[in-house]
């Protein structure tokens, strides 16, 4: 089974460090770069996080409506940013707005259509945020303050969310919503719903939690399973164990989110380990 190369999406995140000084309101010409650090919020439904400051650059991740963003660098109309997971990339300023105290973004979409305060209708994927002024026309949302009660930090609940919220999702390199997701974006978004913060890429997620020693332990529901198709063994794929024998993952070879046997042809030889984060 072909495994997509989920390593090196964005070289900005290889080191994992960001810099900048406490400045805001900085503007720069197209051929200048200014290092700043200021806050913004995503105003678009989905804002692409790119590897370079140009529209044709590769997608490395996505940030969703209402999510807070820290601006690290300004280059013309492009900004280098990171979201709450500190995963860096480039984004056009058009996707962002200055924080507005009137936009509380206090609810999380579970997949819904809303009417905004200005009367505009908007479809919001799971993970996007909406304000208390938004009216839900179809679908469902939950208050951020109630997430812990409705989506507990339990392996069984996490697997239920993984099986239902992303059902039928297509594979999309750099995607992190049911409208299209890659393996690590899928895992990160589901675990985040249940209060478990994971980094963005599979190789980063492999550093989280505790190693499952398969010579004495068995794979349990909720464990993260890691694979590599590289000679150096660096992690390129992640899946979520539904039980001891099956996992759910977003796979390019399967066209999207699917349940497969852990020992499916092509996967067993590429298995590199399991981690327990809940």
């Amino acid at each position: 089974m072909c495994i997509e190369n989920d390593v090196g999406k964005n070289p900005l995140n290889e080191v994992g460090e960001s810099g900048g000084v406490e400045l805001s309101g900085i503007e720069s010409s197209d051929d200048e770069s200014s290092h700043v650090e200021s806050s913004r919020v995503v105003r678009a439904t989905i804002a692409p996080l790119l590897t370079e400051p140009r529209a044709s650059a590769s997608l490395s991740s996505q940030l969703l409506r209402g999510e807070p963003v820290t601006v690290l660098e300004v280059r013309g109309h492009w900004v280098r940013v990171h979201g709450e997971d500190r995963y860096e990339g480039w984004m056009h300023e058009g996707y962002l707005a200055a924080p507005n105290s009137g936009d509380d973004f206090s609810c999380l979409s579970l997949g819904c259509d809303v009417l905004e305060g200005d009367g505009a209708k908007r479809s919001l994927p799971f993970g996007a945020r909406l304000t208390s002024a938004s009216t839900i026309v179809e679908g469902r949302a939950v208050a951020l303050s109630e997430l812990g009660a409705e989506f507990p930090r339990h392996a069984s609940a996490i697997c239920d969310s993984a099986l239902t919220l992303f059902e039928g999702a297509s594979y999309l390199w750099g995607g992190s919503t049911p409208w299209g997701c890659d393996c690590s974006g899928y895992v990160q978004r589901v675990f985040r719903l249940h209060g478990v913060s994971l980094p963005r890429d599979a190789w980063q997620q492999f550093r989280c939690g505790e190693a499952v020693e398969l010579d004495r332990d068995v794979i349990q529901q909720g464990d993260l399973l890691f694979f590599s198709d590289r000679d150096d063994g660096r992690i390129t794929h992640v899946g979520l164990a539904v039980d001891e024998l099956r996992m759910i993952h977003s796979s390019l070879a399967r066209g999207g989110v699917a349940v497969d046997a852990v020992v499916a042809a092509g996967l067993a030889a590429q298995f590199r380990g399991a981690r327990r984060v809940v």
Side-chain angles (χ1 to χ4, degrees):
M1 179 178 291
C2 175
I3 291 182
E4 65 279 3
N5 190 354
D6 188 45
V7 64
K9 272 199 190 76
N10 193 336
L12 291 173
N13 298 287
E14 289 295 312
V15 178
E17 296 178 351
S18 59
V21 293
E22 293 286 343
L23 298 174
S24 61
I26 299 294
E27 296 182 357
S28 67
S29 64
D30 288 344
D31 58 352
E32 293 180 338
S33 178
S34 298
H35 291 270
V36 302
E37 188 162 322
S38 59
S39 297
R40 296 290 186 271
V41 65
V42 177
R43 68 179 181 182
T45 300
I46 299 177
L49 197 64
L50 305 177
T51 56
E52 300 176 71
R54 54 186 178 86
S56 58
S58 298
L59 180 69
S60 62
S61 192
Q62 296 171 323
L63 296 176
L64 308 183
R65 179 168 173 80
E67 292 188 326
V69 170
T70 299
V71 175
L72 304 170
E73 181 181 354
V74 177
R75 190 177 299 177
H77 295 292
W78 291 89
V79 288
R80 181 169 60 87
V81 303
H82 68 65
E84 293 174 309
D85 61 0
R86 303 191 68 81
Y87 192 79
E88 293 185 20
W90 289 93
M91 184 176 292
H92 194 277
E93 64 182 4
Y95 291 103
L96 304 173
N100 185 338
S101 58
D103 294 335
D104 52 13
F105 291 112
S106 58
C107 295
L108 185 83
S109 169
L110 299 178
C112 63
D113 294 339
V114 301
L115 283 178
E116 304 283 22
D118 59 2
K121 186 176 180 180
R122 184 190 295 264
S123 294
L124 297 174
F126 161 61
R129 302 179 190 182
L130 54 153
T131 69
S132 55
S134 301
T135 300
I136 298 176
V137 177
E138 186 175 353
R140 187 163 171 260
V142 62
L144 294 177
S145 60
E146 298 174 2
L147 283 178
E150 186 158 352
F151 298 98
R153 189 176 170 131
H154 298 152
S156 59
I158 292 170
C159 288
D160 286 343
S161 294
L163 288 164
T164 57
L165 291 174
F166 280 77
E167 185 176 11
S170 296
Y171 181 86
L172 175 65
W173 173 264
S176 63
T177 80
W179 297 358
C181 60
D182 62 25
C183 64
S184 55
Y186 170 48
V187 165
Q188 184 193 45
R189 188 67 68 177
V190 169
F191 273 78
R192 182 178 179 180
L193 177 67
H194 291 265
V196 182
S197 296
L198 294 175
R200 177 60 178 84
D201 288 345
W203 67 271
Q204 297 169 320
Q205 294 170 1
F206 188 56
R207 300 176 176 178
C208 299
E210 299 179 352
V212 178
E213 303 296 341
L214 297 181
D215 57 342
R216 67 167 190 248
D217 298 328
V218 296
I219 292 174
Q220 296 180 4
Q221 184 181 58
D223 287 348
L224 294 180
L225 310 178
F226 294 92
F227 305 83
S228 176
D229 58 359
R230 288 170 49 126
D231 292 338
D232 63 6
R234 194 177 190 194
I235 300 303
T236 59
H237 189 67
V238 59
L240 171 64
V242 177
D243 52 38
E244 186 178 345
L245 299 177
R246 299 177 302 147
M247 73 170 183
I248 187 167
H249 60 149
S250 182
S251 167
L252 180 60
R254 301 284 266 116
V257 173
V259 176
D260 282 311
V262 174
V263 293
L267 284 177
Q270 298 173 343
F271 180 70
R272 294 294 181 268
R275 308 288 295 186
R276 189 162 295 155
V277 296
V278 291

